[in-house]
């Protein structure tokens, strides 16, 4: 299959994003649809992955940033039927290497995709990093 990646926010399918994040994403199912839409609308940058033949959205990533030197990568996903073809790598590369944040310090949280992110330069935090855990449990 052929995929097109785009950072055009007006092309995003909010229904597809909500469907995935509310049912399959282990990292944030506690969010309401309004929460997710607010996060997408307020994102510094978004990247969608679409089937070239139909325009159907099959992947997504968003980033929060100060726009100068720091960015947080979030909600990266590829629908199950489209995994294994390198689309996750393309999403991450498009977001962090091929856009306005290519020279930024990037951070993210993941419970299962460390290998993917390491190939894009992410490393375990050093002694300068601290995290305040989520209070929701």
């Amino acid at each position: 299959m052929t995929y097109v990646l785009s950072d055009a926010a007006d092309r995003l399918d909010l229904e597809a994003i909500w469907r995935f994040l509310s049912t399959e994403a282990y990292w944030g199912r506690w969010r309401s649809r309004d929460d997710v839409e607010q996060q997408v609308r307020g994102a510094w940058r978004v990247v969608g992955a679409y089937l070239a033949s139909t325009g159907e959205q099959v992947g997504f990533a968003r980033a929060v940033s100060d726009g100068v030197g720091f960015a947080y990568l979030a909600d990266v996903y590829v629908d199950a039927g489209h995994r294994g073809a390198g689309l996750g790598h393309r999403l991450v590369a498009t977001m962090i290497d091929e856009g306005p944040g290519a020279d930024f310090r990037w951070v993210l949280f993941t419970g299962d995709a460390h290998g993917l992110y390491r190939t894009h330069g992410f490393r375990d935090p050093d002694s300068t990093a601290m995290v305040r855990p989520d209070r929701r449990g």
Side-chain angles (χ1 to χ4, degrees):
M1 290 187 207
T2 304
Y3 301 97
V4 174
L5 277 71
S6 172
D7 64 357
D10 60 351
R11 187 172 181 180
L12 294 174
D13 180 344
L14 290 172
E15 179 62 34
I17 294 167
W18 168 246
R19 187 172 44 252
F20 186 93
L21 294 178
S22 65
T23 61
E24 298 189 45
Y26 65 84
W27 59 85
R29 288 190 201 138
W30 54 266
R31 295 177 282 185
S32 70
R33 183 172 180 140
D34 286 342
D35 292 337
V36 169
E37 289 186 12
Q38 179 181 345
Q39 289 174 319
V40 172
R41 280 192 307 273
W44 169 73
R45 187 166 189 237
V46 293
V47 176
Y50 307 89
L51 282 173
S53 60
T54 65
E56 175 189 2
Q57 185 172 334
V58 297
F60 174 73
R62 71 177 175 92
V64 177
S65 176
D66 63 9
V68 176
F70 175 83
Y72 171 76
L73 180 61
D75 291 334
V76 179
Y77 77 82
V78 173
D79 286 339
H82 299 276
R83 294 180 190 155
L87 193 51
H89 285 283
R90 287 184 58 200
L91 269 168
V92 174
T94 299
M95 178 63 83
I96 68 171
D97 292 326
E98 299 169 15
D103 294 326
F104 288 6
R105 177 185 220 183
W106 284 86
V107 298
L108 64 89
F109 291 94
T110 184
D112 63 353
H114 296 80
L116 167 79
Y117 295 112
R118 281 191 178 102
T119 65
H120 294 278
F122 287 89
R123 301 288 175 254
D124 293 335
D126 62 23
S127 64
T128 66
M130 297 180 72
V131 175
R132 179 179 170 204
D134 186 337
R135 290 185 178 182
R136 287 177 287 261

